[in-house]
């Protein structure tokens, strides 16, 4: 496996208009990571409660949360969420 040149990756701040994309990426990444450890019903419930488009839009509109996409050739290859509140978990997903 070859490692891509990191200069090919760009970052941009996610906007409220990216809510559907963020919801899709969060749900798919979580599913890939944890589906084997959950029942389909539990997984579906968690995804609906945690990664819905409106939930993500609210996060993107929250001034205390910064969400950034890493992109390569126009495709999102990573996401990082950095809340200003130190008691909130920082998330980082790589697709």
């Amino acid at each position: 496996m070859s490692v891509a040149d990191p200069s090919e990756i760009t970052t941009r701040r996610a906007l409220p208009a990216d809510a559907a994309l963020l919801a899709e990426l969060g749900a798919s990444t979580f599913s890939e990571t944890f589906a084997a450890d959950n029942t389909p019903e539990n997984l579906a419930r968690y995804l609906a409660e945690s990664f819905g488009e409106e939930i993500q839009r609210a996060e993107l509109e929250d001034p205390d949360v910064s969400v950034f996409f890493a992109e390569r050739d126009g495709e999102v290859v990573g996401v990082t969420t950095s809340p200003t509140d130190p008691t909130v978990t920082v998330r980082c997903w790589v697709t």
Side-chain angles (χ1 to χ4, degrees), residues 5-21:
D5 179 357
S7 65
E8 297 174 11
I9 296 174
T10 60
T11 59
R12 71 173 177 88
R13 188 176 193 123
L15 304 171
D18 294 312
L21 175 59

Side-chain angles (χ1 to χ4, degrees), residues 18-86:
D18 294 312
L21 175 59
L22 185 59
E24 177 186 335
L25 290 170
S28 65
T29 303
F30 187 90
S31 295
E32 289 171 14
T33 305
F34 298 107
D37 299 321
N38 289 277
T39 65
E41 297 81 16
N42 285 347
L43 183 64
R45 183 176 51 250
Y46 181 80
L47 294 177
E49 293 172 353
S50 301
F51 295 105
E53 185 174 341
E54 290 307 313
I55 295 167
Q56 301 310 307
R57 180 171 287 105
E59 184 171 277
L60 292 169
E61 292 173 344
D62 185 340
D64 292 328
V65 177
S66 298
V67 180
F68 292 89
F69 289 136
E71 297 179 324
R72 180 182 295 127
D73 298 326
E75 180 181 343
V76 175
V77 295
V79 179
T80 185
T81 302
S82 179
T84 57
D85 181 347

